[in-house]
């Protein structure tokens, strides 16, 4: 057999083939059907488990609830309640995700949603303003808040934790001021139609969330902007040396976070017709829990929108199932709180293992 550039087969007898490498080392030949450069079936299973284990846990959890309360959990109403009621959380989680991807942190996303959900009914319901203009001004307020966050964090280099925490408190106070610390509402059939109209058995706003997650996933995976965002999040200094305009990417992430939070507020008002400004911060923990738990799905160790979507419905299924089993309303805070702690810890473990490889 002619000698190749990699090595050639040698044998002491016909039943014991060996590979002789160029450096003279002798190693067993690979078993037929296995690749010497892959882990074979075991490696594939390990990869699938790391990417989709949470989906398997979700399925087992759903089967458990179905076995316990089949007459209530195994109905179309339950399906609609789980998948058709989380649109606001989807938009809010995507708002938080955008800044986390670039290595930033925004604690004001829920408050930005709240200011939008307060301004729209105050302007349209209380003062009689045109509903379209009220919606534009409401979302614009959230975008402005995102730009202010960006100015202090990116331009003035102030801690994002301090800035966004302060902004959250400020916006909550402003929302309570303009609403008079009462529940404000607006009656607009046209506004309601854009959120609760039926499409294929689900509210149309459900499909907005699916489209948003798909759009962000496409941008992050297939566009230069998305790759720049991921690069900045991985190492801002190296990204700067590579020619990426780091400040511009970071600034834009905060502004987009404000826009998505504003859209979350718009969807909220369109769905329920009003808002209580004192409840804004109750939306923050579920959004962050979903984003961090999403790092255990599809792209382990990385913030990704598809994983976030899976995490949202995973958490909702758990809470809804436990409530059907008779647990009181406290279970929601316990489940989201525990989910956030476990998700952050899991994300760190996955990230450390990825770096070790």
């Amino acid at each position: 057999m002619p000698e190749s550039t990699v090595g050639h087969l040698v044998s002491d007898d016909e039943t014991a083939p060996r590979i002789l490498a160029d450096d003279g080392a002798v190693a067993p030949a690979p078993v037929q059907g296995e690749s010497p450069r892959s882990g074979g079936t075991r490696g594939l299973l390990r990869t699938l488990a790391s990417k989709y284990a949470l989906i398997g846990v979700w399925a087992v959890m759903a089967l458990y609830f179905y076995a316990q309360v089949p007459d209530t959990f195994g109905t179309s109403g339950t399906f609609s309640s789980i998948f058709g009621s989380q649109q606001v959380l989807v938009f809010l989680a995507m708002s938080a995700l955008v800044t986390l991807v670039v290595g930033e942190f925004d604690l004001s996303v829920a408050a930005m949603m709240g200011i939008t959900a307060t301004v729209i009914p105050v302007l349209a319901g209380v003062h009689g303003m045109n509903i379209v203009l009220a919606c534009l001004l409401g979302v614009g307020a959230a975008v402005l808040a995102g730009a202010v966050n960006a100015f202090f964090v990116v331009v003035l280099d102030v801690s994002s934790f301090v800035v966004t925490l302060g902004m959250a408190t400020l916006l909550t106070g402003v929302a309570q001021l303009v609403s008079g610390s009462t529940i404000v509402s607006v009656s607009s059939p046209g506004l309601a139609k854009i959120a609760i109209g039926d499409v294929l058995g689900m509210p149309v706003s459900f499909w907005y969330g699916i489209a948003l997650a798909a759009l962000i996933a496409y941008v992050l995976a297939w566009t230069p902007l998305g790759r720049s965002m991921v690069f900045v999040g991985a190492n801002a200094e190296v990204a700067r040396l590579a020619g990426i305009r780091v400040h511009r990417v970071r600034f834009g992430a905060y502004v987009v976070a404000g826009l998505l939070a504003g859209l979350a507020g718009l969807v909220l008002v369109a769905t329920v017709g009003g808002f209580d400004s004192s409840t804004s911060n109750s939306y923050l923990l579920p959004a962050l829990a979903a984003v961090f738990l999403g790092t255990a799905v599809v792209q382990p160790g990385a913030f990704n929108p598809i994983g976030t979507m899976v995490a949202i419905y995973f958490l909702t299924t758990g809470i809804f199932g436990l409530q059907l089993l008779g647990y009181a309303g406290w279970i929601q805070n316990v489940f989201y709180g525990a989910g956030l702690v476990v998700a952050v810890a899991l994300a760190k473990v996955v990230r450390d293992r990825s770096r070790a490889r």
Side-chain angles (χ1 to χ4, degrees):
M1 178 180 292
E3 189 173 51
S4 68
T5 58
V6 176
H8 56 274
L9 289 174
V10 296
S11 175
D12 298 329
D13 58 63
E14 293 184 357
T15 63
R18 299 288 187 272
I19 294 179
L20 179 62
D22 288 341
D23 61 0
V26 178
V31 178
Q32 186 175 2
E34 288 190 9
S35 169
R37 300 186 181 184
S38 70
T41 304
R42 185 176 298 177
L44 177 61
L45 292 175
R46 188 181 299 115
T47 300
L48 291 175
S50 67
K51 289 185 176 183
Y52 305 111
L54 186 66
I55 296 177
V57 174
W58 184 14
V60 171
M61 180 172 62
L63 289 174
Y64 171 77
F65 290 139
Y66 178 75
Q68 295 297 311
V69 282
D71 294 337
T72 50
F73 189 82
T75 64
S76 59
T78 296
F79 182 88
S80 297
S81 297
I82 292 174
F83 290 95
S85 62
Q86 303 302 311
Q87 297 86 324
V88 174
L89 183 55
V90 169
F91 274 82
L92 196 60
M94 296 303 160
S95 173
L97 180 140
V98 168
T99 50
L100 287 168
V101 166
V102 300
E104 301 294 332
F105 201 77
D106 193 344
L107 293 174
S108 66
V109 291
M112 290 190 288
M113 177 206 73
I115 195 66
T116 298
T118 301
V119 167
I120 293 174
V122 166
L123 293 179
V126 178
H127 298 289
M129 181 180 289
N130 175 272
I131 187 65
V132 175
L133 181 57
C135 290
L136 290 175
L137 291 176
V139 175
V143 174
L144 177 61
V148 172
N149 282 340
F151 175 77
F152 281 99
V153 174
V154 179
V155 178
L156 299 185
D157 197 26
V158 183
S159 167
S160 61
F161 179 85
V162 174
V163 171
T164 59
L165 182 60
M167 179 61 73
T169 306
L170 171 64
L171 292 178
T172 301
V174 171
Q176 291 176 328
L177 172 65
V178 300
S179 66
S181 296
T182 60
I183 298 175
V184 287
S185 60
V186 58
S187 178
S188 173
L191 181 62
K193 188 175 180 180
I194 69 171
I196 61 178
D198 186 88
V199 176
L200 300 177
M202 298 293 288
V204 64
S205 52
F206 167 79
W207 302 106
Y208 296 159
I210 297 294
L212 176 62
L215 175 62
I216 295 176
Y218 172 79
V219 170
L220 292 178
W222 300 100
T223 68
L225 172 60
R227 289 190 288 271
S228 295
M229 292 174 67
V230 174
F231 200 178
V232 170
N235 194 315
E237 183 59 25
V238 173
R240 184 185 66 80
L241 295 175
I244 296 175
R245 297 181 178 181
V246 173
H247 279 16
R248 180 175 295 184
V249 171
R250 294 170 63 209
F251 197 104
Y254 277 105
V255 174
V256 172
L259 173 62
L260 295 180
L263 292 176
L266 174 59
V267 171
L268 176 58
V269 172
T271 302
V272 301
F275 184 65
D276 181 355
S277 58
S278 65
T279 63
S280 296
N281 291 329
S282 65
Y283 290 83
L284 180 61
L285 182 61
L288 293 179
V291 174
F292 279 97
L293 186 58
T295 61
V297 190
V298 182
Q299 294 176 278
F303 296 108
N304 67 93
I306 306 303
T308 298
M309 289 285 287
V310 172
I312 287 172
Y313 296 117
F314 170 85
L315 292 168
T316 304
T317 301
I319 292 170
F320 194 82
L322 289 171
Q323 288 175 341
L324 289 179
L325 291 178
Y327 291 92
W330 56 263
I331 195 64
Q332 180 169 332
N333 289 332
V334 171
F335 204 82
Y336 277 130
L340 178 59
V341 173
V342 172
V344 173
L346 185 60
K348 184 180 185 303
V349 170
V350 172
R351 197 157 44 243
D352 290 345
R353 287 185 177 181
S354 299
R355 289 173 180 172
R357 291 174 185 174

